[in-house]
Amino acid sequence: MRGSPQVTVATLNNRQLALPYVAPYLAYVGIATLFSSLLSPEINYLLRVIVVGLLLVWAWRWYCPLRGPFSPAGSMLYGAVAGLVGLGLWLGLLAPFVQSTETTPWSNGAFLLRLLSAGLLVPLFEELVMRGYIFRLALQWDQARKDNEREPLHVALDQRSVNDVLPGHWSWVAVAVSTLAFASGHAPREWPAAIVFGLFMALLWMRRKDLLTCITAHAVTNFALAAYVAATGNWHYW
């Protein structure tokens, strides 16, 4: 007797895709929150890198393509420039809400591990869950609502797949929901900067029609922010 056919990405609905998309984000936040007082910063960040990295490897088969209609090299170059713009937005909007006496310099080990996670892991899993899943799920819910479906959320969760959304498609509802979700993962004092940065990432998705640009921009912003605080001593921005 032949075994059951293997489930492919194309057959998975959004309810089934929720765990692969959301698990790395929840693991990162959970480790940061639950073990912050139990582990040193070095061990805490090392644990995040290992656990989240393994989850991304496990879930990769279910993710939507990162590439869009433009060349990857062009997207990465566009994203790199956009990332520097993002740094300016973040610093300018965060400045009124932080004080220079709030933080002290990190140890070399903690700094390098945080740089690794913030520069490589965070942009990848955050853009996958925010612009790859939540944005597209909200878009499909909004479309079902406009089509006068009786239960638009049920339709979006159980009869749609975010992996079927065409590159660059958007709605104001999708932009608003994903931006608020992104901001909610930050400290209250970071909300103005996070809201603007989330809107900026949504704009990149709409213009470049791929996640690669968003991921690159997010990574460059985080790397540049780390370089800025290390060079200037303004650790309160990080």
Side-chain angles (χ1 to χ4, degrees), residues 145-162:
R145 183 181 59 83
K146 291 176 180 177
D147 290 339
N148 295 316
E149 296 283 357
R150 178 175 296 181
E151 298 182 47
L153 183 58
H154 167 71
V155 170
L157 284 171
D158 298 319
Q159 300 177 25
R160 302 286 187 270
S161 170
V162 295

Side-chain angles (χ1 to χ4, degrees), residues 23-33 45 48 52 117-118 121-122 125:
Y25 181 89
L26 292 181
Y28 189 92
V29 173
I31 294 170
T33 304
Y45 273 99
R48 290 187 232 181
V52 174
S117 64
L121 285 182
V122 172
F125 72 72

Side-chain angles (χ1 to χ4, degrees), residues 156-222:
L157 284 171
D158 298 319
Q159 300 177 25
R160 302 286 187 270
S161 170
V162 295
N163 294 332
D164 293 333
V165 172
L166 296 177
H169 278 213
W170 66 282
S171 74
W172 288 114
V173 169
V175 171
V177 171
S178 62
T179 299
L180 291 176
F182 179 74
S184 69
H186 293 78
R189 65 182 182 180
E190 295 176 332
W191 284 350
I195 288 172
V196 172
F197 193 82
L199 292 172
F200 187 46
M201 292 298 104
L203 177 62
L204 291 180
W205 159 256
M206 289 182 273
R207 288 186 61 86
R208 291 295 299 179
K209 307 181 190 302
D210 63 32
L211 285 180
L212 183 59
T213 302
C214 300
I215 292 168
T216 303
H218 200 150
V220 168
T221 295
N222 286 1

Side-chain angles (χ1 to χ4, degrees), residues 45-208:
Y45 273 99
L46 181 61
L47 185 60
R48 290 187 232 181
V49 169
I50 293 172
V51 172
V52 174
L54 290 174
L55 284 172
L56 286 169
V57 171
W58 163 74
W60 197 260
R61 73 191 82 172
W62 293 297
Y63 291 151
C64 59
L66 303 185
R67 295 175 56 178
F70 304 109
S71 72
S75 292
M76 294 180 71
L77 178 59
Y78 196 103
V81 174
L84 296 178
V85 175
L87 173 66
L89 293 172
W90 187 269
L91 291 175
L93 292 167
L94 184 60
F97 302 99
V98 296
Q99 300 295 326
S100 60
T101 58
E102 290 179 352
T103 56
T104 56
W106 289 55
S107 69
N108 290 336
F111 177 82
L112 290 175
L113 286 167
R114 183 174 181 179
L115 180 63
L116 176 63
S117 64
L120 298 180
L121 285 182
V122 172
L124 183 57
F125 72 72
E126 276 198 337
E127 292 308 316
L128 280 168
V129 71
M130 296 300 169
R131 259 61 63 178
Y133 186 79
I134 294 176
F135 182 101
R136 301 176 192 213
L137 177 62
L139 172 62
Q140 292 174 324
W141 170 79
D142 190 32
Q143 291 171 336
R145 183 181 59 83
K146 291 176 180 177
D147 290 339
N148 295 316
E149 296 283 357
R150 178 175 296 181
E151 298 182 47
L153 183 58
H154 167 71
V155 170
L157 284 171
D158 298 319
Q159 300 177 25
R160 302 286 187 270
S161 170
V162 295
N163 294 332
D164 293 333
V165 172
L166 296 177
H169 278 213
W170 66 282
S171 74
W172 288 114
V173 169
V175 171
V177 171
S178 62
T179 299
L180 291 176
F182 179 74
S184 69
H186 293 78
R189 65 182 182 180
E190 295 176 332
W191 284 350
I195 288 172
V196 172
F197 193 82
L199 292 172
F200 187 46
M201 292 298 104
L203 177 62
L204 291 180
W205 159 256
M206 289 182 273
R207 288 186 61 86
R208 291 295 299 179

